[in-house]
Amino acid sequence: MASISPRCLHGSRVPLRWNGLANSKGNILYTSRPLRCISTTTTQTKSRVPRLIWYTSITLLSMTAGTYYITDTRASIHRWLAVPMLNFIFPDTEEAHHYGNIILRALYSLGLHPRERIPLSTGAKGADLSVSVFGQEISNPIGISAGVDKLAEIEDILFAFGPAVVEVGGVTPFAQDGNPKPRVFKLPKYKALINRCGLAGTGVEDMAQRLRDRVRIFAKKNGYGSNAEAVDFVLNGGAGVPPGSLRSGKLLAVQIAKNMTTDEEDIDATKRDYVYCVERIAQYADILVVNVSSPNTPGLRTLQRADLLTELLRGIVEATKLVPRKTTPKVMVKVSPDEDGEQQVADIVDAIWKSGVDGVIVSNTTKRRDIVASDKAPISPQDQEILKERGGLSGPSLFNRTLRLVKRYRTLLDRGPPSNAVDTEKLSNSDKFEPKVIFASGGISNGKQVLEILNAGASVAQIYTAMVYGGAGTVTRIKQEMEQELSQK
């Protein structure tokens, strides 16, 4: 009788011995399960390998493309998903801001933060966005105002968003809690904010240490070492980049102010507050911004009085000259939009010339509410209640006021110093005064407005509230709008 070999067919009854033995009765065990030949198993395994590679590749490519998209500031999710989601999770505006910064720091540590990936075109006629500020060429005229990064914790992330100027602070000599919470309120209908934070912060020593550590990390990363000599090498320009921003074509501004408990009428005590900040943090800044205009620190705006402002700014300028660095930071004063009378503006301009500061930021938040009330749309009862909140108002409603003030400051500053500001007998007819620089801040939210501000005489247009509502892609969007406007001319 011919022997029958096991067949690899479905339903074949193939003899099977359990562990090579028959059962206790000597019967052969059978199974109705199909058996696979080695050749068939090998073939199927080989056929799975290409599919596994294909699926893995597709998955990796999808993840890479997704990561590339969400980390690009041009992605719409930053405006239409990230911001609404953050506000939904954290209804309190200040809390949303705080946790938003925490999330950004976490993403930055993983290399997953939003960034302006592709530089905007500069080859088209009129599309070059670079400007000259304090004799330096910076990549574009967009800046981010103080308040977005109060403690100098995310300045590198903000630079990645695309601005050429980032202002951190304001910082005071010593830590202070600011005003009681809640102290930040949104008016979504008007894309506006009211805040009365009162320069809450951890003090200048804490910020200075953070900025010094940043320079040390930069020095080590670029092969200069991590000791004090390496830090000084970078701060003195050895790395070929501005010592504040640590980036070519960009500048870091640090805003300084007095503590709330310091009597503004005591000019000596007030000056000590500002000078204390200069001595500890100026070497890490490209620009020092003197805040005398916050509406949330009682009495601070008193310092805009001509005699007080001149003396204060002189003291700060002199202290800046002693900063242990080859190049001293520029000094700018940030003024209020509410002190806009003819004589008030003229007095501030005189103080700018007499003190020797390098420029002015026009302007800060406003105490006024009529600029919102004059809007054609009716104000809801809820918004009317919010408008009653004490604090500084910011948002698009402030733009026209900012534009008018920039024009006025530019006109007055271009007339040169008053006769009593310098010894004119020592000047020859060929001598020219270095023009004062103007940064504009207040209500700027699109590219067309930036161009208007620049044409009015400002060198940089700063944004804040526009970013609160527009998210990480706001700077990129504004620059694209500027290019579109310029390409049509």
Side-chain angles (χ1 to χ4, degrees):
M1 182 177 178
S3 61
I4 301 176
S5 300
R7 292 177 297 167
C8 299
L9 298 174
H10 181 74
S12 299
R13 293 174 59 81
V14 182
L16 172 67
R17 291 183 182 274
W18 195 265
N19 291 329
L21 299 173
N23 63 9
S24 59
K25 296 182 179 180
N27 297 326
I28 297 176
L29 300 177
Y30 289 89
T31 178
S32 60
R33 292 175 56 192
L35 296 181
R36 295 177 180 174
C37 293
I38 294 176
S39 59
T40 305
T41 303
T42 303
T43 301
Q44 291 184 355
T45 300
K46 288 182 178 179
S47 67
R48 289 177 181 174
V49 172
R51 281 186 291 174
L52 181 62
I53 295 174
W54 171 255
Y55 292 144
T56 302
S57 299
I58 291 297
T59 301
L60 290 175
L61 285 172
S62 299
M63 291 175 63
T64 301
T67 301
Y68 191 89
Y69 172 75
I70 64 175
T71 57
D72 193 318
T73 53
R74 294 170 296 177
S76 59
I77 64 167
H78 299 302
R79 184 178 189 180
W80 304 115
L81 180 61
V83 172
M85 183 179 295
L86 194 63
N87 291 329
F88 176 78
I89 297 173
F90 303 104
D92 180 82
T93 304
E94 186 176 6
E95 191 176 41
H97 184 107
H98 172 70
Y99 282 102
N101 285 358
I102 290 176
I103 293 170
L104 284 174
R105 293 203 306 272
L107 291 174
Y108 184 75
S109 68
L110 299 172
L112 298 176
H113 61 289
R115 79 284 310 264
E116 194 173 75
R117 288 189 175 278
I118 302 176
L120 300 180
S121 62
T122 56
K125 182 179 179 181
D128 185 358
L129 300 183
S130 63
V131 294
S132 179
V133 176
F134 300 123
Q136 299 183 54
E137 184 174 287
I138 59 176
S139 59
N140 63 79
I142 310 299
I144 294 178
S145 294
V148 177
D149 185 11
K150 297 177 182 292
L151 306 178
E153 294 178 317
I154 59 168
E155 66 280 354
D156 290 314
I157 303 173
L158 296 181
F159 274 123
F161 291 174
V165 178
V166 170
E167 181 186 357
V168 300
V171 65
T172 55
F174 306 105
Q176 60 182 23
D177 294 330
N179 293 311
K181 297 180 180 181
R183 53 194 181 186
V184 183
F185 309 91
K186 273 188 174 181
L187 290 158
K189 182 177 180 179
Y190 304 97
K191 296 291 189 289
L193 287 176
I194 293 176
N195 95 78
R196 54 168 180 263
C197 289
L199 297 171
T202 54
V204 71
E205 298 280 5
D206 180 65
M207 182 182 286
Q209 184 60 55
R210 194 174 295 113
L211 291 177
R212 185 170 183 83
D213 289 343
R214 174 173 170 264
V215 177
R216 183 180 293 108
I217 292 170
F218 174 87
K220 183 177 181 180
K221 184 178 179 180
N222 287 274
Y224 304 120
S226 58
N227 54 21
E229 289 75 16
V231 171
D232 290 340
F233 176 80
V234 173
L235 292 176
N236 286 309
V241 293
S245 70
L246 304 178
R247 287 167 169 76
S248 296
K250 301 198 174 188
L251 301 172
L252 177 69
V254 178
Q255 185 188 114
I256 60 175
K258 75 175 188 69
N259 276 114
M260 295 179 74
T261 54
T262 304
D263 183 4
E264 68 280 354
E265 294 292 343
D266 185 345
I267 190 60
D268 291 330
T270 299
K271 193 190 304 182
R272 281 196 298 271
D273 269 17
Y274 285 93
V275 170
Y276 186 89
C277 290
V278 171
E279 292 172 344
R280 281 151 183 81
I281 209 162
Q283 60 183 320
Y284 310 115
D286 301 310
I287 303 169
L288 280 177
V289 178
V290 182
N291 185 350
V292 292
S293 56
S294 170
N296 305 311
T297 299
L300 187 64
R301 289 186 172 183
T302 303
L303 296 174
Q304 292 178 110
R305 205 173 70 201
D307 55 339
L308 294 178
L309 185 59
T310 301
E311 186 173 350
L312 173 65
L313 294 179
R314 275 178 177 163
I316 293 171
V317 169
E318 290 303 314
T320 304
K321 292 177 181 178
L322 302 177
V323 172
R325 207 176 75 185
K326 285 185 178 180
T327 58
T328 57
K330 301 298 182 180
V331 179
M332 303 185 77
V333 58
K334 189 164 190 172
V335 299
S336 164
D338 299 331
E339 276 64 43
D340 59 348
E342 292 294 336
Q343 191 58 50
Q344 288 174 313
V345 174
D347 287 345
I348 292 173
V349 169
D350 282 357
I352 290 171
W353 281 112
K354 291 177 181 178
S355 64
V357 299
D358 303 287
V360 58
I361 297 182
V362 183
S363 54
N364 213 317
T365 56
T366 179
K367 290 182 177 180
R368 298 180 62 174
R369 300 293 186 264
D370 57 335
I371 56 175
V372 172
S374 64
D375 195 286
K376 294 181 181 179
I379 301 176
S380 68
Q382 182 181 4
D383 287 343
Q384 288 177 358
E385 288 302 312
I386 294 176
L387 285 169
K388 293 177 183 178
E389 294 287 351
R390 181 175 57 84
L393 173 74
S394 62
S397 299
L398 199 57
F399 174 73
N400 289 332
R401 194 175 188 83
T402 301
L403 184 62
R404 289 194 299 269
L405 276 174
V406 168
K407 291 178 180 178
R408 288 173 61 188
Y409 273 95
R410 183 77 279 161
T411 298
L412 292 177
L413 286 169
D414 285 350
R415 292 176 183 174
S419 58
N420 60 346
V422 294
D423 188 353
T424 54
E425 294 182 359
K426 295 182 180 180
L427 296 174
S428 66
N429 293 331
S430 61
D431 285 325
K432 293 183 179 179
F433 296 104
E434 188 72 24
K436 301 299 182 181
V437 173
I438 297 177
F439 286 5
S441 176
I444 302 166
S445 58
N446 59 57
K448 183 178 180 180
Q449 291 177 335
V450 171
L451 293 174
E452 288 184 69
I453 285 290
L454 298 181
N455 290 332
S459 298
V460 171
Q462 293 183 292
I463 62 171
Y464 169 54
T465 308
M467 274 197 65
V468 173
Y469 284 95
T474 304
V475 174
T476 299
R477 173 181 59 80
I478 289 176
K479 288 157 73 174
Q480 289 174 330
E481 292 169 350
M482 290 176 66
E483 284 202 327
Q484 291 170 3
E485 289 284 335
L486 292 170
S487 66
Q488 295 171 5
K489 295 182 179 180

